[in-house]
Amino acid sequence: MRKNIVAGNWKMNCDLSQTQQLISELKTGLVKEFNCELMIAPSFPFLYQAFNDTLETPIEVVAQNVCEAEKGAYTGEVSIPMLQSVGIKTVIIGHSERRDTYGETDELLASKTKAALDNGLRVIFCCGEHLEQRKSGEHVATVTEQIKKALFNLNKDEMEQVVIAYEPVWAIGTGETASPEQAQDMHAEIRAALRSQFGDEVAQHTSILYGGSVKPANAAEIFTQPDVDGGLVGGASLDAQSFLQIADAF
Ligand code: PEP
């Protein structure tokens, strides 16, 4: 069956000592086994340290972004081989902050995704609608289109290496959460789109995470939805206890 995953997106928070402190608190809290994979995404400069600090723990350190090109004149970018050289096996692609603040298009995200998969990285691919699109009833079409444009060029084996994170933009960092029904409805639509393109087996195997103000207080209700396989957690992942409580919701 598909995996349950709780992933913490630390965004541009935590310097080196704060990164180490938060990891140390997470390790202290790992007193039991969780029914989900645990991932954290610290900032680029601290990935190597974080990778080493989490060796022999169930926590996987993942990257928040990657460049589609292998090397060369891409000032400020970080390549797939660079990530792999510090132990990274998974990368988040298409977060709404990358789309909205840095203008990352569906086409760019498609090439990042393909490059990551071609080189053996697993991808957490983010999608989600803005508030106006939900209000006007275009949310399903918007999200389906994002998925089609970035993922429908993949083959089944590649798609098996993709986790999808549905993150309604209006719920990210706002304290507003999609209702469990809204999350379930969209996750079921996403799975149906995957089924139509890749077949039932791939659709059933693909983990679809919900993201948008997940907290210890709402995680259990969201995670019990049949098509919700975990969470991509921003704000609450910066507190070790909250993050582990969310993971404990499984
Ligand atoms: C995110 O940025 O991926 C996210 C879901 O943030 P938050 O949990 O703070 O809404």
Side-chain angles (χ1 to χ4, degrees):
M1 265 320 270
R2 54 187 181 257
K3 291 169 179 158
N4 294 327
I5 299 170
V6 172
N9 174 14
W10 292 6
K11 311 195 187 190
M12 200 175 71
N13 294 294
C14 298
D15 62 15
L16 176 59
S17 69
Q18 290 163 335
T19 297
Q20 291 194 278
Q21 175 66 26
L22 186 43
I23 289 173
S24 148
E25 287 167 14
L26 287 169
K27 282 161 72 171
T28 306
L30 290 174
V31 284
K32 51 168 286 202
E33 276 194 23
F34 292 89
N35 293 321
C36 60
E37 287 189 10
L38 295 173
M39 297 179 182
I40 56 170
S43 294
F44 282 140
F46 315 121
L47 288 177
Y48 185 53
Q49 184 69 49
F51 175 79
N52 283 308
D53 288 352
T54 52
L55 285 173
E56 288 165 35
T57 77
I59 301 172
E60 181 184 348
V61 174
V62 312
Q64 298 176 19
N65 185 26
V66 74
C67 182
E68 71 287 4
E70 193 191 333
K71 63 177 183 173
Y74 298 89
T75 302
E77 292 292 319
V78 172
S79 73
I80 293 162
M82 287 173 183
L83 292 182
Q84 290 173 318
S85 73
V86 296
I88 298 301
K89 296 190 172 62
T90 306
V91 60
I92 299 170
I93 291 178
H95 192 280
S96 64
E97 287 151 17
R98 299 301 315 171
R99 292 174 187 265
D100 294 347
T101 314
Y102 296 98
E104 296 197 358
T105 61
D106 289 320
E107 292 67 33
L108 177 64
L109 300 175
S111 60
K112 286 188 178 202
T113 300
K114 185 79 174 97
L117 295 169
D118 280 349
N119 289 284
L121 282 181
R122 184 157 76 142
V123 170
I124 300 176
F125 180 78
C126 302
C127 55
E129 81 284 359
H130 287 92
L131 187 58
E132 315 80 72
Q133 291 159 329
R134 177 154 286 267
K135 281 187 174 159
S136 62
E138 291 166 79
H139 47 295
V140 173
T142 302
V143 169
T144 310
E145 204 52 25
Q146 290 170 342
I147 286 175
K148 278 188 185 160
K149 285 186 172 157
L151 305 180
F152 274 22
N153 63 324
L154 303 176
N155 64 36
K156 284 188 189 187
D157 288 345
E158 290 168 335
M159 190 58 214
E160 294 271 10
Q161 301 306 315
V162 177
V163 167
I164 293 179
Y166 166 57
E167 301 206 301
V169 182
W170 47 271
I172 296 181
T174 59
E176 198 168 328
T177 319
S179 68
E181 295 73 28
Q182 285 173 321
Q184 167 55 27
D185 287 351
M186 185 62 87
H187 284 223
E189 294 284 354
I190 293 170
R191 206 175 299 287
L194 297 180
R195 187 174 295 113
S196 72
Q197 178 68 12
F198 299 103
D200 193 51
E201 208 184 343
V202 172
Q204 287 302 337
H205 280 169
T206 304
S207 298
I208 307 177
L209 316 184
Y210 168 78
S213 301
V214 176
K215 298 181 182 59
N218 58 27
E221 209 186 354
I222 296 171
F223 293 171
T224 48
Q225 300 303 310
D227 285 294
V228 177
D229 308 308
L232 181 54
V233 185
S237 71
L238 295 170
D239 179 85
Q241 220 191 337
S242 298
F243 184 66
L244 294 174
Q245 279 169 5
I246 291 169
D248 202 25
F250 274 111

